[in-house]
Amino acid sequence: MSEAAPECLEGVDTDAVQSALLSWYREDHRSFPWRETTDPYEILVSEVMSQQTQLGRVVEAWDDFLDRWPTTADLAAADRAAVVAFWSDHSLGYNNRAKYLHEAAQQVEDDYNGSFPETPDELSELMGVGPYTANAVASFAFNNGNAVVDTNVKRVLYRAFGCPDDDTAFEQAANELMPEGESRDWNNAIMELGGVACGQTPACDAQSCPWREHCDAYHSGDFTAPDVPEQPDFEGSRRQFRGRIVNTLGEHDELALDTLGPRIRVDYAPDGQYGRDWLRGILTDLADDDLVELDESGPETVVRLRR
């Protein structure tokens, strides 16, 4: 942990945030073969391939590449034209990435006696390996990287904690949040969060986002981000109202149903289209997610935020 938390993380329960994300990731996440290995060469190949290609398409190319050149020694000894041709045949983006990967394999063999460097700084010495890729390989292969900050991570930090759209601020916040000794699972987890739950159009509830109770955007309903300049559409704007409910209840100990309604929707009418039945439906979902509780013991339904 840094000596002083970034301003956007002030007041954040870091332990709760860390525990929630790691538990969510470890319970269930997308399965990719490079997540099942700690071989730095295999991970480097996946990182380089993923830079311009959807992950679903990378799987086949990754398998084929490693079948053909299973080690850095095999790749280093290969004809560069064959490596570039493979890249083109599999539509993996700029061919210079194939050239750099080939040269990096030669560096590992010639400069490191076939053993991969392990730290982000050393990995950055390999051809074509920038800070992001170096951190990723150090994290996923050796569990000793810094926080990885890609577009998905920036979007998550901006929405969840209001971190400013500034690379230094994102890096500081990402490193402050990452638990010591957990770079492998943490970096996978926060990128997974941005990939499946907090995409450009978020799926907070559908993906059971573990940061809903901590998230500024979920509370406010404003899901803009650096790469999402306009508010995305939501199904019936339901998520926006969920956020408003949680935010409003956070300011009050409890509210009766008909007191809460007008606070989250100006056209709330108890017996209207957007009335008690509509509000109760959203509250039932929130209760199922253990975010609120409904007290129906008295003449009026009372709603409380679950603590």
Side-chain angles (χ1 to χ4, degrees), residues 75-227:
L75 183 58
D79 181 74
R80 180 171 298 174
V83 180
V84 172
F86 178 98
W87 217 258
S88 295
D89 291 344
H90 287 75
S91 302
L92 291 169
Y94 294 121
N95 289 343
N96 62 351
R97 293 200 173 102
K99 179 174 70 103
Y100 293 151
L101 189 57
H102 182 251
E103 292 181 15
Q106 291 177 331
Q107 284 178 272
V108 171
E109 291 301 310
D110 296 341
D111 300 342
Y112 295 92
N113 297 316
S115 296
F116 249 80
E118 297 186 7
T119 68
D121 286 345
E122 289 177 314
L123 285 159
S124 293
E125 296 297 320
L126 297 180
M127 184 62 67
V129 176
Y132 171 84
T133 302
N135 265 333
V137 176
S139 293
F140 305 143
F142 304 110
N143 197 33
N144 69 350
N146 300 314
V148 170
V149 181
D150 66 356
T151 301
N152 282 335
V153 173
K154 291 178 181 179
R155 186 189 316 117
V156 167
L157 296 175
Y158 184 92
R159 284 175 172 167
F161 309 116
C163 293
D165 184 8
D166 174 81
D167 287 347
T168 299
F170 284 133
E171 289 174 10
Q172 289 176 342
N175 280 299
E176 174 70 19
L177 284 173
M178 186 177 73
E180 186 175 356
E182 294 279 11
S183 64
R184 177 181 290 127
D185 278 1
W186 179 263
N187 283 326
N188 267 319
I190 196 168
M191 289 193 295
E192 182 82 350
L193 187 69
V196 304
C198 197
Q200 291 189 330
T201 298
C204 319
D205 304 320
Q207 295 296 333
S208 300
C209 173
W211 282 359
R212 283 173 291 184
E213 65 180 281
H214 308 283
C215 179
D216 290 350
Y218 192 76
H219 291 178
S220 70
D222 180 1
F223 286 91
T224 54
D227 63 330

